[in-house]
Amino acid sequence: MQAIDTFNEKLQSLGYWLMAAGINKHESATLFDNRSGAGVITSGALFEGKEHYSGFWIIDVPDEEIAKTLAAEGSLACNRRVELRPFLR
């Protein structure tokens, strides 16, 4: 946890931090599918697998290279794979 806190402090000090949050285990998820008014509600996550999302960062950086560098540092800090995705524009 200390490594994640240190990484979060770095993001904040550089002005890249917008928000971050840990999320509960995938078993605690509720999945809603109301496409075409289907009204389907089921327990569990959207995707099944041995790995699951355990949290996220939302950052605002000047360019993609900085984002990639920070994603690699975040992966090291939390000892998990990190997926990097930009917002749609």
Side-chain angles (χ1 to χ4, degrees), residues 32-41:
F32 294 81
D33 185 355
N34 202 28
R35 293 173 290 180
S36 300
V40 177
I41 303 171

Side-chain angles (χ1 to χ4, degrees), residues 4-49:
I4 295 171
D5 290 342
T6 300
F7 179 69
N8 288 343
E9 290 166 6
K10 175 182 179 176
L11 291 175
Q12 292 168 0
S13 71
L14 292 171
Y16 298 152
W17 170 279
L18 293 180
M19 74 168 290
I23 56 176
N24 213 330
K25 296 178 182 175
H26 64 283
E27 294 92 353
S28 69
T30 303
L31 185 61
F32 294 81
D33 185 355
N34 202 28
R35 293 173 290 180
S36 300
V40 177
I41 303 171
T42 56
S43 295
L46 181 58
F47 301 108
E48 299 287 329

